[in-house]
Amino acid sequence: MKSTELAETHPDFLYGTAWKEERTPALVELALRVGFRGIDTANQRKHYFEAGVGQGLTAAYRAGVVTRADLFLQTKFTYQPGQDHRLPYDPEASLSVQVAQSMASSLEHLGTDLVDSYVMHGPSSNNDWTEADSEVWEAMKKERDAGRTRLLGVSNVSLQHLEQMAGAHSEAPAFVQNRCYARFGWDREVRLFCNQRNIVYQGFSLLTANAEVLRDSLVTGLAARANVTPAQVVFAFARAVGMLPLTGTSDAEHMKQDLADGSLVLAPDAARGIEKLAG
Ligand SMILES: NC(=O)c1ccc[n+]([C@@H]2O[C@H](COP(=O)([O-])OP(=O)(O)OC[C@H]3O[C@@H](n4cnc5c(N)ncnc54)[C@H](OP(=O)(O)O)[C@@H]3O)[C@@H](O)[C@H]2O)c1
């Protein structure tokens, strides 16, 4: 798939639904009303209320805010160590069966028969791409081939994971979703790997992981001159260097600001300056 084709398959901002618990339905509906068209969730009840995301979608469909066809829905398969007791699969079943069961449960939660992106929430080991990861990835490909997701991704991966994955599988993910720390060069190595292979890099915790950047005079100066907030400058920077950013805000004004910063274009030297800030 060419990068232009892939770009057409997702909106340029994703609304993240972690940690919203009983507020999830109302916040998803609000995000859609404000204008978000990409929703990120996971079948991991410990941190996400995926069925609540589905309730928010249903409310928005009923109110005529959006239709399913307008949306990019992304969810994730999470290994048992990342879950609490509320598992979306039989822990005694094989990993391949767990993937199929988790996907079936996600489709039910989200009230759809097809998601747009299905993501491995994280590899089974912090260091290496393992046999278990290969089994899960192959099972995810089967879900895609059966028409239950359009695209596949991986999350919380290092360059080593990605290189080992590339050695074990002919097919690369469409997405990599990582926490993006300015102090680690904004995940430079992984972003470079992605850029070279036409993989879309999704960055999360762009604000919460980078408090020092939001206070930096380069960023506050750019924000003051453009009459926007430092948070908007960080999201504009993310886009300028080719990331697909996530925001998890619960605040309607921040939702509007986050979407509005799509029209804020950073000069290349400003983006280069922010890229070098802490890494
Ligand atoms: N793959 C993974 O393992 C993984 C891990 C973590 C997160 N995620 C995904 O990424 C999503 C986003 O997580 P996150 O860590 O980036 O965000 P987040 O944890 O939701 O935090 C954003 C924080 O920044 C604050 N904020 C201040 N100004 C803001 C502005 N203009 N726009 C947005 N936020 C503003 C928000 O407060 P207000 O609410 O007051 O705006 C909020 O406290 C999650 O919901 C989840 O979908 C994935």
Side-chain angles (χ1 to χ4, degrees):
M1 193 181 283
K2 296 195 188 85
S3 57
T4 46
E5 288 170 11
L6 189 54
E8 284 161 16
T9 66
H10 62 81
D12 59 9
F13 222 130
L14 299 184
Y15 183 68
T17 61
W19 311 300
K20 296 180 168 56
E21 288 299 321
E22 74 285 353
R23 297 171 74 205
T24 303
L27 285 169
V28 166
E29 185 182 352
L30 177 65
L32 297 174
R33 284 185 185 276
V34 170
F36 283 92
R37 294 295 176 261
I39 301 287
D40 176 80
T41 186
N43 207 344
Q44 180 201 33
R45 190 60 191 85
K46 185 177 173 186
H47 294 303
Y48 297 79
F49 179 21
E50 192 180 47
V53 174
Q55 291 164 21
L57 295 175
T58 301
Y61 299 153
R62 287 207 180 117
V65 178
V66 286
T67 66
R68 170 67 186 92
D70 298 324
L71 300 181
F72 174 91
L73 299 181
Q74 173 168 278
T75 189
K76 312 185 191 86
F77 169 80
T78 311
Y79 282 111
Q80 192 183 353
Q83 304 267 13
D84 61 17
H85 62 284
R86 294 166 290 181
L87 292 170
Y89 45 69
D90 172 4
E92 302 300 325
S94 68
L95 287 169
S96 309
V97 170
Q98 288 181 20
V99 170
Q101 290 178 346
S102 191
M103 172 62 106
S105 159
S106 286
L107 296 178
E108 195 181 324
H109 287 158
L110 297 171
T112 186
D113 50 13
L114 164 79
V115 290
D116 297 278
S117 168
Y118 199 50
V119 173
M120 180 191 290
H121 209 153
S124 61
S125 145
N126 286 338
N127 305 314
D128 293 308
W129 182 264
T130 64
E131 289 286 320
D133 300 325
S134 286
E135 181 180 344
V136 167
W137 182 247
E138 290 302 324
M140 290 169 60
K141 279 167 56 184
K142 281 203 185 106
E143 294 300 311
R144 191 266 321 276
D145 294 345
R148 290 187 275 274
T149 181
R150 286 196 299 119
L151 298 164
L152 296 174
V154 290
S155 180
N156 298 302
V157 284
S158 63
L159 180 61
Q160 179 159 310
H161 283 127
L162 288 168
E163 285 174 340
Q164 291 177 352
M165 182 191 185
H169 304 276
S170 55
E171 184 176 332
F175 299 107
V176 162
Q177 182 183 104
N178 268 4
R179 180 166 279 122
C180 194
Y181 289 99
R183 61 182 172 280
F184 301 141
W186 303 93
D187 212 4
R188 187 181 291 118
E189 288 182 338
V190 170
R191 286 191 294 118
L192 189 63
F193 181 98
C194 291
N195 285 345
Q196 289 166 346
R197 287 164 182 80
N198 195 24
I199 298 168
V200 174
Y201 180 96
Q202 302 181 4
F204 65 85
S205 298
L206 284 160
L207 305 182
T208 48
N210 302 310
E212 74 285 5
V213 171
L214 294 165
R215 288 192 302 265
D216 189 277
S217 59
L218 173 62
V219 171
T220 55
L222 285 165
R225 281 194 292 284
N227 200 21
V228 298
T229 66
Q232 287 177 284
V233 171
V234 168
F235 288 131
F237 158 75
R239 254 196 290 274
V241 296
M243 288 185 215
L244 170 55
L246 285 102
T247 175
T249 181
S250 300
D251 180 290
E253 199 49 43
H254 287 160
M255 288 183 189
K256 286 180 200 149
Q257 288 173 354
D258 294 351
L259 287 177
D261 69 45
S263 54
L264 172 65
V265 180
L266 288 188
D269 61 331
R272 273 195 297 275
I274 296 175
E275 188 152 27
K276 286 190 195 134
L277 265 186

